[in-house]
Structure formats: structure tokens, C-alpha cells
Amino acid sequence: MSAPTMKAIRLHEFGGPEVLRCDEVPVPEPGPGEVLVRVHAVGLNPPDWYLRDGMPGVPPELRPPVRLPVVPGSDVSGVVAAVAADVAGLSVGDEVFGMLRFPSFDGRAYAEYVTAPAADLARKPAGVDHVHAAGAAMSGLTAWQYLIDLGHDHPNPLQAAQHRPVPLEAGMTVLVNGAAGGVGHLGVQLAKWKGARVVAVASGGHERFLRDLGADEFVDYTRTRPEEAVRGVDLVLDTVGGPGSGRFLRTLRRGGTLYYVFFAAYDAAEVARLGVTTSGTQVRSNGRQLAELGRLLDTGTLRVAVDSTFPLAEARAAHERAARGHLRGKIVLTTDAR
């Protein structure tokens, strides 16, 4: 009798969206500490296209090893289909969501079935569908680990000191750059949940969306320079990074902090002169933190915005949508799971 098969999106070479291929492959079997998940939805994230491109922007010494062909993706929501003998707390039929094996680039999420470390999963909130749950994992964990609780003690190769979230409280001002994106729109909501005043920076078409999520002030960066419009900020969460990130140093009060989610370089002399600090970290899989996020999603304290959905087989079109930019929330792939 032949082994069961499934559809999976695989990379046989690195390149643009056209290298994403829909293949028929064997359904994997869970190893120790794992469960098999029948995938209903897959959340897309920037590391997916970094992997597809061959990670040219990642310093060679920081690139994890990748063997082709590889199934990209890390964020899933689905139903447990099988459980390894040593796993407790999860059973066949449980609805779960999670970010798998990150930052290893070995999540294998773009598939109809995926094996998942039980420790990377949380129960899907009953009031949240699979599409929105899949969109919550990496973006939610990134915002949580930057703003609320790091949750691990892994060193960061890009800075000497361990990242320490600033305790957020009423009266503080938090600026979120890239506020309409996956991490950004959840960061806005987490900061509001903690009582902070939130300044959202995005393009003008996103103002109503972000004010509905709780932003107190909105800056349209296409019309106004944020560093000229905003002063006295306690904390900047810059989800965009890159060479333009340094301008946000000038929005901070003395003693304030800038968190960078993506690679960014700062003038050390300017940082010292302004009396501010910068910090970054690497998001890591964490089922316990996902469970906390799940409770906030279930009560409506957090909402996941979905920019668009595509069938699994149309992963190429989903990546093309991501490349066009100006996303409002998350792109999600769906399967025909019932």
C-alpha cells in the first residue's frame, strides 16, 4: 500500500516568486515531541521571501543552513491529526496554531500537513478562525517579545546586551513605524492594551484603519517627516528598519529607546549625543506566549487584520502581492481542509 501524499509548495532553487512549485510529496510523520497538523491556513512573513531569495541580505555567518528542495513557511493554524507517544496535553482533533521551529527556516508550513513541535503550538482561540489565527503567530510573537516579554535568553549576535522590553504603562508615548503591517498593527494594539499613547506612522490610506485599532495620533510619512512632527517619544518600535531608521532617534526624549525589528544601522555618535538607546532581538517560537496572545485574540483585545488570502497552490501570487507592498495586515494561504 502506497504512503499517503499531500500538496506542498517547495523551492528547488532560489529566486523570485516564480520558483515556488506545488509538488505532491509524502505526508510526514511526527517525531518525538511532535504532532501532525492538518493545515487549514498558513500566514506569510518576510522570512518566507528571504528564504525564497536565498537570503542575500543576511550576513553569510548568520545564514542558517538550507538544503533544497525545501518547504518554506512557519505560521500555521489547523487541526491535530496525529500525536507522538511522548506528547501530553494535545490530542487528535484539537485546533491549534503556531510558529514552527523559528528561527531555523525549517518550519515547512506551506503544505497540507506539517509536523510541529508541541512546544511551538497553542490552542486556537474558539472565537478566531484559522485564517486569522495563522496570521497572528510570527507577527504577534514579534510584537510580544519586543514590547511585553522576551521569553528566552538566547544571545543576539547583532548586539552585546540582551534585549529587555521597556515596561509599558499609562502616560508613556509609543511610536510605531510601519504601523499598518503585520507586526506594526499588533504592536499598536499591544501598546494600547498596556495603556500607552500610540503614534502610528504609515501611508495616508491607512489612517482610519489604525485609528480604529486605537492609534491616538497618525503621521502620514508620504506627506510629513515623522522626525519633524513628533517629539518626546518614550519608545519607538520600528518595524521597517533599513537606512532610514536613524531619523526616528530624533523623535525620542532623552533616555528613550528605539527597537528595530529589521536590520538597521545607527550613528553611534548621534545615539550618544541624544542620550537614547537602541535594541533588537530575534523572534523565537514560543507556545506559552502564543497562548497568552490567544486569550487576547479571543476577547477581542487584539484583532488580526488580513490583507488578502490565496489558495495554497497560488503561493506565487501571494508572494507577488507581498512584493507590491503597502500591506494592511497579513497575507494568508488557505487549504481545502474540512
Side-chain angles (χ1 to χ4, degrees), residues 143-150 165-166 168 190-191 193-194 292:
W144 189 271
Q145 290 176 15
Y146 268 85
L147 296 176
I148 309 299
D149 172 33
L150 182 60
V166 173
L168 299 178
L190 286 175
W193 171 58
K194 286 295 186 177
E292 295 184 65

Side-chain angles (χ1 to χ4, degrees), residues 99 102-103 141-142 144-146 149-157 162-165 280-286 288-289:
M99 179 178 77
F102 201 80
L141 282 174
T142 300
W144 189 271
Q145 290 176 15
Y146 268 85
D149 172 33
L150 182 60
H152 66 77
D153 58 3
H154 294 276
N156 181 353
Q162 182 68 278
H163 178 77
R164 298 291 181 217
T281 188
Q282 171 65 72
V283 65
R284 291 181 176 269
S285 300
N286 190 311
R288 177 187 60 79
Q289 291 178 330

Side-chain angles (χ1 to χ4, degrees), residues 289-320:
Q289 291 178 330
L290 266 183
E292 295 184 65
L293 283 164
R295 285 189 280 275
L296 295 176
L297 290 166
D298 211 21
T299 61
T301 302
L302 291 184
R303 289 183 283 149
V304 176
V306 174
D307 175 271
S308 49
T309 62
F310 296 82
L312 178 67
E314 296 179 17
R316 172 178 175 171
H319 276 231
E320 290 170 344

Side-chain angles (χ1 to χ4, degrees), residues 84-176:
D86 63 340
V87 170
L90 288 175
S91 304
V92 172
D94 287 344
E95 294 189 318
V96 293
F97 73 123
M99 179 178 77
L100 311 183
R101 305 181 187 89
F102 201 80
S104 71
F105 285 87
D106 189 32
R108 298 168 247 159
Y110 286 25
E112 293 180 317
Y113 287 89
V114 65
T115 55
D120 293 353
L121 298 172
R123 292 183 185 275
K124 182 183 74 64
V128 177
D129 62 27
H130 287 291
V131 167
H132 289 81
M138 180 177 286
S139 292
L141 282 174
T142 300
W144 189 271
Q145 290 176 15
Y146 268 85
L147 296 176
I148 309 299
D149 172 33
L150 182 60
H152 66 77
D153 58 3
H154 294 276
N156 181 353
L158 301 179
Q159 64 185 44
Q162 182 68 278
H163 178 77
R164 298 291 181 217
V166 173
L168 299 178
E169 56 189 29
M172 292 182 65
T173 298
V174 176
L175 182 150
V176 181

